[in-house]
Amino acid sequence: MAFSVRPARASDSYALRALLPRLADFDIPPSRFSEDLWRGDEKLLMAYLAGAAPDSFCILAENDDLDTLGVALVSMGPELLSGAPSAHLDAIAVSEEAEGQGVGAALLRACEDEAAIRGAESMTLHVFTRNERARAFYEKFGYDEELIRATKPLRR
């Protein structure tokens, strides 16, 4: 499959927002709603596209017909523990049709390259323990699972 990556533009909004539900395409924890996994990313995406998130960037992948195949959204900021310049991969989503075609890898590499250009010394991300497909993908590209976030619903 031939495709290219480029920075997202405001005119890409509809296609990019349509990909975000793919972030919940795994066995999500029973205490979560699928929309909760991508609504915050949608807000950041819309802020970026409106020019209101200067410390973020968004890259998309598209085929030769200009169909959007994937999106990645990154925020720049200090690393959690060291405070060193860092980037955080807020979201990466690939269309079902493009899955397994190298789109996610190209998006991840483009994000790492752009983050390094912007001065980041590292890139972090969050991934649910139940999302085995994503965890294997990130491990393949050298990401080390170093923290565990625990949560407990307090509903009675």
Side-chain angles (χ1 to χ4, degrees):
M1 170 184 289
F3 63 89
S4 58
V5 297
R6 65 167 172 81
R9 300 183 290 257
S11 59
D12 300 316
S13 172
Y14 180 78
L16 298 179
R17 290 172 69 196
L19 284 172
L20 293 179
R22 291 277 294 154
L23 296 172
D25 189 18
F26 67 98
D27 182 26
I28 63 173
S31 62
R32 299 290 181 180
F33 297 103
S34 62
E35 295 83 10
D36 293 341
L37 276 61
W38 53 269
R39 288 288 184 205
D41 297 316
E42 181 179 42
K43 288 178 186 176
L44 178 58
L45 172 65
M46 298 311 291
Y48 166 78
L49 294 174
D55 293 332
S56 297
F57 63 89
C58 183
I59 297 175
L60 68 80
E62 62 188 3
N63 64 17
D64 293 339
D65 294 327
L66 304 182
D67 298 319
T68 302
L69 305 175
V71 59
L73 184 60
V74 175
S75 298
M76 304 297 294
E79 199 273 332
L80 176 65
L81 300 176
S82 72
S86 187
H88 182 78
L89 181 65
D90 293 288
I92 186 168
V94 173
S95 70
E96 191 171 352
E97 300 78 28
E99 194 172 301
Q101 304 294 315
V103 173
L107 285 167
L108 186 59
R109 283 188 205 103
C111 289
E112 292 172 345
D113 291 346
E114 180 63 22
I117 288 168
R118 292 177 182 228
E121 297 176 12
S122 65
M123 183 170 295
T124 62
L125 58 89
H126 297 131
V127 62
F128 279 89
T129 56
R130 292 173 173 233
N131 194 343
E132 295 175 14
R133 181 180 67 214
R135 291 175 68 197
F137 174 78
Y138 296 129
E139 182 179 1
K140 177 180 169 183
F141 288 93
Y143 286 80
D144 178 32
E145 295 180 358
E146 66 176 16
L147 295 174
I148 296 174
R149 178 179 183 260
T151 183
K152 176 183 175 183
L154 298 178
R155 297 183 198 131
R156 294 179 190 211

